[in-house]
Amino acid sequence: MNATLIRNGRIVDPANGRDEIADLWMVDGRIGEEPRKEKRETIDATGLIVSPGLIDIHVHFREPGFGWKETIESGARAAAAGGFTTVVCMPNTSPVADSPSTIAWIKDRAAAVASVRVLPTGTISKNLAGEELAPIASLAQAGVVAITDDGHCVQNNELMRRAVEYARMVGVPVLDHCQDYNLVGNGLVHEGYWSTLLGLPGWPAAGEEAIVARNILLAELCDHPIHCQHISAAGSVRLLREARARGVKISGEVCPHHIALTDESIQDFDTDFKMNPPLRTQRDIDALLEGIGDGTLDILASDHAPHAGFEKEVEFDRAPFGIVGLETELGLFLHLLVHRYQTIGLPRLIEMLTVNPARVFGLKSGTFSLGAPADVTLIDPEREWTVEAADFQSLSRNTPFGGWKLKGRAVRTIVGGKTVWQA
Ligand SMILES: [Zn+2]
């Protein structure tokens, strides 16, 4: 028997309504009780938050196919350094994760090299083309935790309906990147003042809202959960609020950049501010904060999207969308939601990064219930630090947050009772 005591920390376990200074036992890789007379190790957590291991349900680990941007190994290291013990990776790899053999490859690779739990998703449509359904039942059998065409969006509402029905049959949730292709066209940045001034093609908020509305209708029609990824627009929050109040199985997630920055940041044409959906206005930020505050938006995620320097250092319209996020996520959310805007308190923040995402996928983690996996994140809420992209564990450096001073970070990440990262 292998027993470790995490001593004297502030245990915040929203799943069980706990917030107290106490000890936590990890026994043989699980949350346990004090053993009789085993050999034991002690971790002193005085002054630290002891949180269930953080979960990020939206990351791109780029393998197979784009290992120069990120590998499953380096992505997992970045996750561990950011305090995350479980990540859900998106299927827009090469080959695309639309077949059981690719899912098997990802799972094998993760088992061999990843220091955190890496859970694969499969696509909704074959080759992300939005024309024909992927073999959803076979993907579920191969072990995907959800289906999504992230980066793309199924435009055909009837096809999407069939996907949600299949997902319901095999018991996996549907995640959706909400983008109406006709409305968005070749849009690059939020359609508004700055897109007009800079002469860049606009990506209107309605392009997201139209698909959020579609997903609400389908979640209701099929009586099955649809989770809207990286919500960026005020109108989306309004739609979700109304639908959730009626009991529709619809949810939404928020990424740090969409509450940290506005479209004003694009005026230097710096491609580290180019993401999809784009940075929007202060009005949208205010609506996202309101949605987080009242529980309309109940999950936080990074949309960790690594790209190499040579790919981002090109003309604005030619650069790929996306930024790395795993290593700045917790610090930014603490900084923005708890300290700066005071939208929510720390227990609620931890809830949105643990038990709420775990619930979407039916995971056993995200809690300190007895017998749960001993996944633990120790957080120093007072530690001040500066974001240095050069220090990232990720293979990529594409962050708009370099030089930002943040307060609070993960100082130790434990997966299945084993320390996988320590500051
Ligand atoms: Zn996306």
Side-chain angles (χ1 to χ4, degrees):
M1 190 181 273
N2 209 319
T4 305
L5 168 67
I6 300 176
R7 209 181 59 80
N8 202 37
R10 176 180 165 197
I11 295 184
V12 180
D13 178 16
N16 292 302
R18 274 181 87 191
D19 184 354
E20 58 184 342
I21 305 284
D23 295 341
L24 183 75
W25 281 95
M26 305 188 291
V27 181
D28 287 341
R30 303 197 162 272
I31 302 302
E33 285 171 316
E34 180 170 4
R36 295 258 158 91
K37 47 176 173 195
E38 303 304 326
K39 243 184 37 186
R40 53 188 62 178
E41 251 180 89
T42 300
I43 296 169
D44 182 16
T46 305
L48 302 179
I49 310 280
V50 182
S51 166
L54 306 181
I55 300 170
D56 188 334
I57 67 168
H58 193 153
V59 307
H60 296 268
F61 278 1
R62 307 303 191 196
E63 269 190 323
F66 306 104
W68 67 89
K69 297 170 192 269
E70 194 81 285
T71 62
I72 290 173
E73 185 177 14
S74 65
R77 254 197 337 264
F84 292 86
T85 56
T86 298
V87 295
V88 174
C89 57
M90 296 299 114
N92 57 340
T93 49
S94 179
V96 159
D98 62 358
S99 74
S101 57
T102 304
I103 300 304
W105 187 90
I106 293 169
K107 288 181 73 174
D108 286 352
R109 191 75 194 141
V113 300
S115 54
V116 304
R117 302 180 202 274
V118 176
L119 309 178
T121 56
T123 63
I124 295 171
S125 68
K126 277 189 187 159
N127 206 28
L128 298 166
E131 287 166 1
E132 212 183 325
L133 289 184
I136 294 168
S138 312
L139 290 171
Q141 211 162 33
V144 303
V145 295
I147 53 169
T148 170
D149 268 6
D150 184 47
H152 299 257
C153 180
V154 174
Q155 302 294 296
N156 180 328
N157 297 335
E158 200 277 335
L159 189 77
M160 188 66 172
R161 175 192 177 171
R162 299 298 162 209
V164 179
E165 286 175 343
Y166 272 110
R168 180 185 166 167
M169 238 183 305
V170 299
V172 294
V174 179
L175 320 180
D176 198 26
H177 165 120
C178 303
Q179 178 176 351
D180 183 296
Y181 289 176
N182 289 308
L183 281 170
V184 174
N186 61 348
L188 297 175
V189 297
H190 175 65
E191 182 176 300
Y193 176 80
W194 287 103
S195 68
T196 308
L197 195 74
L198 301 171
L200 291 169
W203 196 134
E208 176 179 285
E209 293 151 5
I211 298 293
V212 169
R214 182 274 302 265
N215 289 344
I216 289 168
L217 298 175
L218 292 183
E220 202 169 7
L221 178 64
C222 306
D223 190 28
H224 188 69
I226 302 179
H227 173 74
C228 299
Q229 302 178 282
H230 43 44
I231 291 297
S232 67
S236 302
V237 182
R238 208 163 49 232
L239 289 161
L240 290 171
R241 180 178 294 121
E242 187 274 338
R244 284 167 65 89
R246 286 189 296 115
V248 180
K249 294 173 178 167
I250 191 92
S251 54
E253 79 195 14
V254 182
C255 303
H257 42 276
H258 287 131
I259 53 170
L261 301 162
T262 66
D263 59 344
E264 199 180 341
S265 320
I266 57 177
Q267 58 187 298
D268 297 328
F269 299 95
D270 182 340
T271 59
D272 282 340
F273 294 83
K274 179 180 175 184
M275 55 281 281
N276 186 10
L279 299 174
R280 299 201 187 275
T281 65
Q282 188 60 46
R283 209 188 112 250
D284 295 291
I285 293 181
D286 293 343
L288 291 172
L289 293 173
E290 202 185 329
I292 290 168
D294 70 13
T296 298
L297 299 161
D298 64 350
I299 292 175
L300 302 172
S302 68
D303 191 7
H304 179 78
H307 292 291
F310 72 87
E311 295 168 303
K312 274 290 205 181
E313 285 156 22
V314 295
E315 294 80 352
F316 196 88
D317 57 330
R318 292 183 50 221
F321 291 102
I323 58 168
V324 288
L326 278 166
E327 292 169 82
T328 46
E329 179 174 1
L330 176 63
L332 283 166
F333 280 137
L334 279 167
H335 171 69
L336 294 164
L337 295 176
V338 179
H339 301 305
R340 180 156 145 203
Y341 291 116
Q342 300 181 355
T343 313
I344 50 174
L346 184 91
R348 174 81 185 148
L349 178 84
I350 288 178
E351 184 185 335
M352 295 178 78
L353 288 166
T354 57
V355 59
N356 290 357
R359 200 177 292 133
V360 172
F361 302 102
L363 306 178
K364 291 195 175 68
S365 51
T367 157
F368 285 149
S369 298
L370 280 181
D375 294 357
V376 183
T377 304
L378 300 186
I379 300 165
D380 183 344
E382 299 302 321
R383 173 157 336 180
E384 295 185 6
W385 61 290
T386 304
V387 177
E388 299 281 2
D391 296 341
F392 283 167
Q393 299 296 313
S394 170
L395 291 186
S396 291
R397 302 279 177 263
N398 50 314
T399 178
F401 299 114
W404 278 47
K405 290 190 181 0
L406 303 176
K407 190 170 151 190
R409 69 175 299 162
V411 291
R412 189 166 180 146
T413 307
I414 299 169
V415 177
K418 279 200 214 88
T419 296
V420 295
W421 189 80
Q422 211 175 338

